[in-house]
Amino acid sequence: MVRKNSYTTVIRRLDPLGRIVLPKKYRKKCEMNVKDDVEMYLEGSAICVKKYNTRCKLCGETDNLIEFKGANLCPACVTGIKRLNF
Ligand SMILES: [Zn+2]
């Protein structure tokens, strides 16, 4: 069941497992695509859902990540690790 009470607010009923479908117009605006990861957190009594951007495991950078043994690393951190000369 979908009820709308304004252009920006959509009211939906949770299914028995607590699930909802995120409105397509919200997903489009937030550039969320099917199979994207999302992160959720509480802000007071609101549940916030946002697109999860993979981050460098060491510094938090989000651009040009390289995956190595399950960890995402940015080029600067990879360069820093190479300089350690084990
Ligand atoms: Zn990094």
Side-chain angles (χ1 to χ4, degrees), residues 27-78:
R27 287 182 277 137
K28 188 173 180 180
K29 184 167 176 72
C30 297
E31 299 178 347
M32 285 183 193
N33 298 301
V34 172
K35 303 222 178 205
D36 280 349
D37 291 326
V38 296
E39 59 181 301
M40 292 175 266
Y41 55 93
L42 291 173
E43 214 170 87
S45 62
I47 300 169
C48 300
V49 180
K50 63 189 244 186
K51 184 173 180 173
Y52 177 73
N53 290 316
T54 305
R55 294 179 171 88
C56 173
K57 184 96 175 170
L58 300 176
C59 73
E61 175 62 53
T62 58
D63 295 331
N64 303 315
L65 300 178
I66 301 158
E67 187 178 337
F68 180 70
K69 296 192 174 185
N72 292 299
L73 302 170
C74 72
C77 287
V78 169

